[in-house]
Amino acid sequence: MSLIVQKYGGSSLATTENIKYVAKKIVDRKKQKNKLVVVVSAMGKTTDNLIKMAEEVHHCPPEKEMDILLSTGEMVSVAMLCMAIEEMGEAAEGFVGHCAGIRTDNFHTKARIQTIEPSRIISELKKESIIVLAGFQGISPDNDITTLGRGGSDLTAVAISAAIKADLCEIYTDVKGIYTTDPHLLPNARLIRELSYEELLEMSSAGARVMFSRAVEFAKKYNVPFVVKSTFAEKGEGTMVKEILLKEGADVSAAALDEKQAKLTIFRVPDRPGISSRIFSSLGKANINVDVIVQSVSKEKYADISFTVNISEAEKAFSIIKEVAKEINAGNTSCDMEVAKLTIIGIGMMHHAGIAGKMFSALADAGVNIEMISTSETKISCIVKRSEGKKGLKAVHREFLEK
Ligand code: ASP
Ligand code: MG
């Protein structure tokens, strides 16, 4: 007998038909003598619709009430799924976040889990009930309902797995697992069998939309292996995500294209201590996340500095650097909204020489010009023209991931 945590995303629960299908799957699994805790997201696009509704009555909805509103989505799923399970003759017990002992801080709409007190869940499990738990929510120190940030049900699943020491954590979604790159961008993408926490985190920051990053960080910190698999496919192993320290043979595990980047440049920046700190602390104060940074070789005590940000923050960042450029006596500034970030990821990379060279050659052969480069032990990113991004992705995927 195993203690299994399962999480079903919104697309797996979009209709009452889907809910019955999922209920059947859960009941079958229970009959194989397992204990089950099932974490659910809101049905289909419920959360998006609730946000739209709030914005129709308030230009900037207050966050505490936003949490009251958004948490209802998951509550509907809990109630519906429990009913569907009961209808099939199994006992089910529904829990919303605070009844399950999920305590968070009070940062409404992006709260962090602080403690989980799972005694009620554990005692219900002993009575042979299937537990259905609302994802994405908890309760603040003031006893208000909080939510964990968009996509936060993944975190609920991983955190409850750690708290009850589950044998297995399964994340069910509408795709078969995690792919070597986004299959919508590249049909040649392959399903990955095994991935390390580290690689999945790098994939998220490279722009791949796979899982809630904080869930992966949590899983890594508390070592909670999990598998990502399809709700609707009858067969298929999915992708196992766990601690992997070394991959023999495999150098690159995945490639990602982030088309939401903008590149900003300050020309003729005086080359003396304190200048970069001046520029980037102004951006930091404005809460702007800077990604790739490149400084050119200094000529006659001047250098150019380029960096990228998410396109949604480009205008704000541009007006900040225009001001700073004046203050530090730099030259012109520019903002290029038409760039993309192409990244290859792999923990095997640090033990293989020549990966960067191979990536750059693949891009050169495809006629893609590299504007900026950034590397770490587990990834290499290149900034390219957005119009050349997909061509570049195809080229690097072919080079590293199709053999
Ligand atoms: N329903 C929430 C959202 O759409 C949480 C989740 O799906 O994980 O963001
Ligand atoms: Mg979701």
Side-chain angles (χ1 to χ4, degrees), residues 49-116:
N49 294 338
L50 291 171
I51 293 173
K52 258 186 239 142
M53 246 168 68
E55 285 169 349
E56 277 166 25
V57 297
H58 197 297
H59 69 284
C60 178
E63 290 178 335
K64 179 169 153 281
E65 282 65 34
M66 198 62 169
D67 276 352
I68 296 178
L69 180 68
L70 295 191
S71 63
T72 61
E74 273 64 18
M75 294 182 191
V76 171
S77 299
V78 168
M80 293 295 291
L81 187 59
C82 278
M83 290 175 192
I85 293 171
E86 295 265 354
E87 180 69 12
M88 290 170 191
E90 283 289 335
E93 202 64 43
F95 285 88
V96 296
H98 63 275
C99 305
I102 300 181
R103 308 217 66 109
T104 69
D105 57 22
N106 49 22
F107 288 97
H108 284 283
T109 75
K110 43 187 171 302
R112 295 193 161 254
I113 295 180
Q114 300 210 304
T115 54
I116 298 186

Side-chain angles (χ1 to χ4, degrees), residues 7-11 41-42 44 47 74 150-154:
K7 179 248 163 179
Y8 292 92
S11 55
S41 290
T47 311
E74 273 64 18
R150 294 303 308 272
S153 302
D154 289 338

